[in-house]
Amino acid sequence: IITLFLFFFPLGTGSSILSALQDLFWLSKSKVEKQLQIISVLQWVLTFLIMGVACTLILMYILCTDCWVIAALYLAWLVFDWNTPKKGGRRSQWVRNWAIWRYFRDYFPIRLVKTHNLLTTRNYIFGYHPHGIMGLGAFCNFSTEATGVSQKFPGIRPYLATLAGNFRMPILRDYLMSGGICPVNRDSIDYILSKNGSGNAIIIVVGGAAESLNCTPGKNSVTLKNRKGFVKLALRHGADLVPVYSFGENEVYKQVIFEEGSWGRWVQKTFQKHIGFAPCIFHGRGLFSSNTWGLLPYPKPITTVVGEPITIPKIDNPSQKEVDFYHSIYVDSLIKLFDKYKSKFGLPETEVLEVN
C-alpha cells in the first residue's frame, strides 16, 4: 500500500510517506529511493514486453468463468471505443503526473534539453533518434511529465506514436492512451494534425524496428536515408519538423547483433515485415545485482535534446523532389544537432553520427 501511494499520488504525499517508511524501518532514504526506482523501471519493462498478451489471456479466461459478464461488458465497450486511438486518444494528466515516473526518470537518470521555443500556433512532427531497444527516453520525456515537457514547451501537446497493433490489445490500449500515446498510422496522424487544432507535436521514432536491430552501446547510428514518409506527412499538413537526438539511448541494453545474411537476421526481418516489430536478443542487469544479467536496463544517463524546428510549407500533394529537398534539410539539421551537443554528453569530438 505504501509503495502504491509513493507511485501514484502527488510528489508531496509520496515524499511524506517515504520519510515515514524510512523512520519505520531505519532505512536510509537513498536505499529506499533506489529500490523504488528499480521497481518503477521493472513494471514498465514488463508492461512493454508482456502486458498486452497477458491482459488478452486474462480476458479470455474470465469469459470462461462465472464472471464472464464483466469481460463481455468490457468487450462491448471496446467495440464502441475502437476508433478512439485514431482520434487523439484519451490522455490523463493524472496518469502522466504519477510519482512512479519520477522514480523511473531518476533511475538512469533521463533529462530533456530544450534548445528553441515552439509556437503554439504551429503543429510539429518530432523525429526521435535513435530507437534503442525500448525507446526509454521517448517514453519518459513525452508520455509522462517526469522531465517537465509541458513546462518546457508550454501549450504544446506531445503525442508519442507507436505500433498500431498495441491498440488492439485490451487494457494496454487504455494504458497507452492515458499517457498521450497514439498509433503511428496515417489516420491517427492526419486527425491530430488537421482536426485537433494547433500546438500538437507528434513524436515519431523514425528508425523504427529496423534501427533497433543495430543498437548497441558505443554506437551512434540512425536509420534515416530512405525514411521519408514523415517528411511527406509534414508537407501535407504544413507541420514543422523538429530533429530530436537522445544521447545514451543505445547504452542501456546490450544486444546480440546478427550479421546481414545470417539466419538470425532473416528471422528478425521476417517478423519486422509481417508483424511490425523485430525480436531482439538483449539483456540488461539483474534485479538484485548489477553484475548479473536480467531485464532491467543499465542505469546509464539518457539526455534527449530537442533541436530547432524546420519551417515546412503546406503542400497538399508534394512531389518526390520536394520531399527529398526537405528530407536533406532534416538530415543536415540532425547531424548538426548531434555534433553541437555530443561533447557535452560524454562523446569525443571525433565521434561521427552514422546515417544509414
Side-chain angles (χ1 to χ4, degrees):
I1 294 173
I2 291 174
T3 301
L4 289 174
F5 266 71
L6 284 166
F7 278 172
F8 304 125
F9 279 75
L11 181 60
T13 306
S15 298
S16 61
I17 295 174
L18 179 62
S19 298
L21 185 63
Q22 177 189 346
D23 293 339
L24 182 62
F25 294 104
W26 301 284
L27 297 173
S28 68
K29 183 177 180 181
S30 61
K31 286 184 178 180
V32 174
E33 288 185 336
K34 188 61 180 178
Q35 293 305 313
L36 291 173
Q37 290 168 14
I38 289 173
I39 293 170
S40 69
V41 174
L42 179 62
Q43 68 81 28
W44 188 85
V45 170
L46 294 177
T47 296
F48 182 91
L49 294 175
I50 67 172
M51 183 177 179
V53 174
C55 288
T56 301
L57 293 175
I58 291 171
L59 196 65
M60 292 173 62
Y61 171 75
I62 294 174
L63 279 171
C64 300
T65 69
D66 293 338
C67 298
W68 65 269
V69 175
I70 298 173
L73 288 173
Y74 177 80
L75 288 172
W77 179 81
L78 189 63
V79 172
F80 174 79
D81 193 57
W82 191 253
N83 289 322
T84 298
K86 299 178 183 178
K87 297 181 179 180
R90 187 170 46 247
R91 74 174 57 217
S92 166
Q93 287 302 115
W94 177 64
V95 173
R96 288 175 60 89
N97 280 287
W98 277 351
I100 188 175
W101 306 131
R102 290 189 286 274
Y103 291 111
F104 182 96
R105 171 199 67 197
D106 293 339
Y107 173 85
F108 297 94
I110 296 174
R111 251 183 91 203
L112 179 64
V113 176
K114 170 186 175 180
T115 63
H116 292 78
N117 292 324
L118 299 181
L119 300 175
T120 57
T121 54
R122 300 285 293 174
N123 283 325
Y124 301 90
I125 293 180
F126 287 19
Y128 184 91
H129 313 269
H131 183 286
I133 294 292
M134 296 185 184
L136 293 158
F139 172 79
C140 185
N141 284 308
F142 302 112
S143 295
T144 81
E145 294 297 330
T147 56
V149 62
S150 294
Q151 287 72 44
K152 291 178 180 177
F153 299 103
I156 301 297
R157 292 180 297 276
Y159 293 86
L160 177 60
T162 188
L163 290 175
N166 289 325
F167 296 88
R168 301 187 186 102
M169 301 283 190
I171 310 300
L172 176 64
R173 67 189 293 277
D174 303 289
Y175 191 41
L176 294 177
M177 283 194 291
S178 68
I181 300 177
C182 69
V184 62
N185 58 30
R186 182 168 174 175
D187 290 343
S188 177
I189 294 172
D190 282 348
Y191 182 91
I192 293 170
L193 295 180
S194 64
K195 299 179 181 179
N196 201 40
S198 60
N200 302 292
I202 297 180
I203 297 88
I204 300 177
V205 186
V206 178
E211 190 172 83
S212 69
L213 297 179
N214 295 314
C215 70
T216 187
K219 186 174 184 179
N220 288 282
S221 66
V222 296
T223 302
L224 182 57
K225 279 184 180 178
N226 297 316
R227 299 293 175 108
K228 300 180 180 180
F230 73 106
V231 177
K232 190 172 184 178
L233 278 170
L235 286 165
R236 287 181 59 244
H237 293 283
D240 293 348
L241 288 171
V242 182
V244 179
Y245 197 84
S246 211
F247 295 90
E249 186 73 62
N250 285 345
E251 307 298 316
V252 296
Y253 279 110
K254 295 179 181 178
Q255 180 182 190
V256 176
I257 304 293
F258 293 101
E259 297 294 330
E260 290 292 340
S262 66
W263 69 270
R265 183 54 64 105
W266 178 83
V267 169
Q268 289 176 322
K269 288 191 172 181
T270 300
F271 265 82
Q272 178 191 337
K273 180 179 179 181
H274 296 290
I275 301 178
F277 74 92
C280 302
I281 298 178
F282 65 91
H283 73 84
R285 53 156 290 180
L287 180 60
F288 301 107
S289 172
S290 59
N291 297 321
T292 59
W293 288 9
L295 289 176
L296 278 177
Y298 292 105
K300 304 287 186 179
I302 298 175
T303 305
T304 303
V305 184
V306 180
E308 182 177 5
I310 303 165
T311 303
I312 302 293
K314 189 177 186 303
I315 305 174
D316 291 334
N317 294 296
S319 65
Q320 189 60 50
K321 185 177 180 180
E322 290 168 325
V323 172
D324 291 343
F325 174 73
Y326 284 101
H327 181 267
S328 65
I329 293 176
Y330 178 86
V331 173
D332 289 342
S333 296
L334 178 64
I335 293 172
K336 289 177 181 176
L337 179 71
F338 178 84
D339 288 340
K340 182 177 180 180
Y341 288 94
K342 60 186 178 183
S343 61
K344 294 182 180 179
F345 303 119
L347 298 178
E349 284 289 349
T350 54
E351 185 72 18
V352 175
L353 179 62
E354 181 183 329
V355 180
N356 301 311

